[in-house]
Amino acid sequence: TVQPVPVYGTNGDDRGYLEGQLESGRFKLIGTGTFDYLTFYGTQGRKDMVVSAGLSPQFAVTTFFSVAVGYNFQWRTSSANSLASQFTRHEAFLRLTVAY
């Protein structure tokens, strides 16, 4: 993907991803993983790497209502000398879904 970025000009994103699901009756386990290699063409050789992983068990309470909890992890590193472009993020979530 190539897209404009306001501060850095143009950004290219080379991405690989994997998603898997295991389902047994009302229970579903969803796992995801991504790797992004970002190239910023408007700056002098800036390149970033972003690694993400997530795991979420889901339970179907009824045919139209489900509950899920999950955890997502994201790690980003950059060739830029800015601490704002290098971080680790941990996210926990609770999702209630109503399908109608």
Side-chain angles (χ1 to χ4, degrees):
T1 307
V2 176
Q3 58 191 0
V5 179
V7 175
Y8 299 105
T10 306
N11 154 303
D13 183 359
D14 297 308
R15 171 178 273 195
Y17 59 92
L18 181 65
E19 179 176 318
Q21 295 185 14
L22 295 172
E23 193 168 344
S24 177
R26 294 181 174 197
F27 180 76
K28 185 187 293 187
L29 182 64
I30 303 167
T32 60
T34 63
F35 175 79
D36 292 281
Y37 187 75
L38 307 169
T39 305
F40 296 88
Y41 301 112
T43 61
Q44 298 174 353
R46 178 178 172 185
K47 298 187 185 322
D48 292 12
M49 287 189 300
V50 182
V51 178
S52 302
L55 189 62
S56 174
Q58 180 177 335
F59 182 74
V61 179
T62 66
T63 56
F64 61 89
F65 178 65
S66 64
V67 177
V69 295
Y71 172 75
N72 290 324
F73 170 79
Q74 187 176 66
W75 174 71
R76 181 175 186 149
T77 185
S78 176
S79 63
N81 291 329
S82 167
L83 290 177
S85 28
Q86 301 184 32
F87 60 84
T88 302
R89 178 180 295 159
H90 302 272
E91 299 174 337
F93 64 87
L94 169 66
R95 180 181 305 132
L96 307 174
T97 304
V98 177
Y100 57 93

